[in-house]
Amino acid sequence: MKPSPSPSSRPTGRRPDKDRPDRRGGKAAPDPTRDIAFDIVEGVIVHRRMLDTSLDHSAAARTAEPRDRAAGHRLAATVLRHMGTANEVLSPFLKREPPEPVRVVLLVGVAQLLFLDTPAHAAVATSVALARRRGLVPFAGLVNAVLRRVAAGGAQALDGLDQARLDVPPWLWQSWGRLARPIARALGHEPPLDLTIRPGAEAPPGGEVMPGGSVRFAAGSAKVVDLPGFAEGAFWVQDMAASLPARLLDVKAGERVADLCAAPGGKTAQLAFAGAEVFAIEREGRRIERLRANLARLGLSGVQVIHEDAAQWRPDAPLDAILLDAPCSATGTIRRHPDAMWIKRPRDIATMTEGQDRLLAASRDMLRPGGRVVYAVCSLQPEEGEQRALAAAAMGLVPDPFTPDELAFLPQARTPEGWLRTHPGMLADRGGMDGFFAARFRRA
């Protein structure tokens, strides 16, 4: 499951002297890329902070150049994608469990050696220097010895390892059933960049048109803000799977539609460009600012953005349609957020489903008779997907299955019940997609 090496996947922003620890025992030279990666990985596995939150907490990141922040983020994400395998590789060389910060240093070193093709001398030396900067001088020799032995084995250290299974926590593997292996294989790779193109606009050159119309660029091949048309609002970033729920709501011009839990705004934009009168509801303050900024770039000034809890908000008149992309465990986006694997716990799912049921009940109450709602989650967990569809039916919402014609461009995503289920292993030869569940209902 080793990803193809590319220049963009290697830590950058390093001067040659940063590769050498201070042999006199003094403080090692700064290395923002690896300091940021250390802060992120430690934040995730020790403090159970999300990756982006850990990045915000990183002192090294606050003063780093953008390229160092990006390289540190990429290195940390590589550690988290392959953490089970990396720990298995380290196991024979550790006679006893090291302190957590030391293990983090070792994981950063292994990720560089085995998954980013960093030259062995650089990966070892920078890891020793990282240990010194983190006040782990007594363990610098251990770091040096262990990583040298890993480097000596090279890629053969991965021979015979079931990387797919090692890199997924057992409870998640079990919950995904027969799909666990194709999902896990896809999680080891950085996801591509997908764009949804505004109606009438030109797609940036060089992308691949995917089923459903999304335009895809290979991972690391394009920076979205540099693509032609970005500033003019010709497109927005949206995984191809994430574009499907709004499409399947099938809104008509003039319909009154609510996008509940609307940030960052991709689905809101789809509804607005279809000609609907859109109410975009978002509870979180920071997310609503991002929602407003994205809609402004796209020129969608007519959307009514409402800062309120969607479970409590009610329209002044019944709605024709609702898109409920509910807060969830987000296990379907682990390719982009590998920290979720190591932060989420089975008990978290039960908490999420309670909120999802409240939002489903609220959606039912907002609709006119015959009005429709698409319930969607970027989750691979059946408790948040298939089981919530059954709960919605028990609330009095009438199932309105997606037809084969509606999903003719991606027939493998249609379940026997007429629901939508995508996962990262779907279209794996073309870059895969996020995991989504969606089901459509009408109010009786």
Side-chain angles (χ1 to χ4, degrees), residues 22-100:
D22 185 341
R23 297 184 181 276
R24 297 168 297 178
K27 188 174 182 180
D31 184 346
T33 292
R34 290 163 184 82
D35 283 329
I36 292 168
F38 178 95
D39 289 341
I40 293 173
V41 175
E42 184 184 47
V44 171
I45 67 176
V46 177
H47 304 295
R48 292 193 64 206
R49 296 192 193 111
M50 298 298 287
L51 188 153
D52 289 340
T53 303
S54 297
L55 181 61
D56 291 340
H57 277 77
S58 171
R62 295 189 194 108
T63 57
E65 296 179 5
R67 68 174 185 174
D68 290 323
R69 282 176 60 95
H73 185 288
R74 188 179 305 115
L75 176 53
T78 301
V79 172
L80 297 171
R81 285 191 183 101
H82 302 285
M83 190 157 69
T85 296
N87 277 320
E88 189 72 11
V89 168
L90 287 169
S91 180
F93 307 126
L94 296 171
K95 294 180 180 179
R96 60 181 62 86
E97 181 66 22
E100 285 287 6

Side-chain angles (χ1 to χ4, degrees), residues 153-203:
Q156 292 180 348
L158 302 175
D159 289 350
L161 297 183
D162 187 350
Q163 294 183 59
R165 187 147 195 173
L166 286 168
D167 289 334
V168 174
W171 74 273
L172 277 176
W173 180 280
Q174 183 177 6
S175 73
W176 297 339
R178 62 181 179 81
L179 295 176
R181 189 164 294 279
I183 290 172
R185 285 175 178 156
L187 298 184
H189 302 277
E190 187 177 354
L193 172 69
D194 286 357
L195 306 178
T196 298
I197 310 302
R198 188 182 70 196
E202 284 192 27

Side-chain angles (χ1 to χ4, degrees), residues 294-311:
N294 286 336
L295 295 178
R297 182 178 64 84
L298 297 171
L300 292 172
S301 57
V303 173
Q304 299 183 51
V305 178
I306 299 169
H307 188 184
E308 197 166 335
D309 185 342

Side-chain angles (χ1 to χ4, degrees), residues 328-329 349 352-353 356 375 377 379 381-385 388:
C328 66
S329 63
I349 307 301
M352 302 306 301
T353 59
Q356 290 153 7
Y375 168 79
V377 283
S379 170
Q381 307 315 114
E383 299 92 333
E384 298 181 283
R388 297 282 61 72

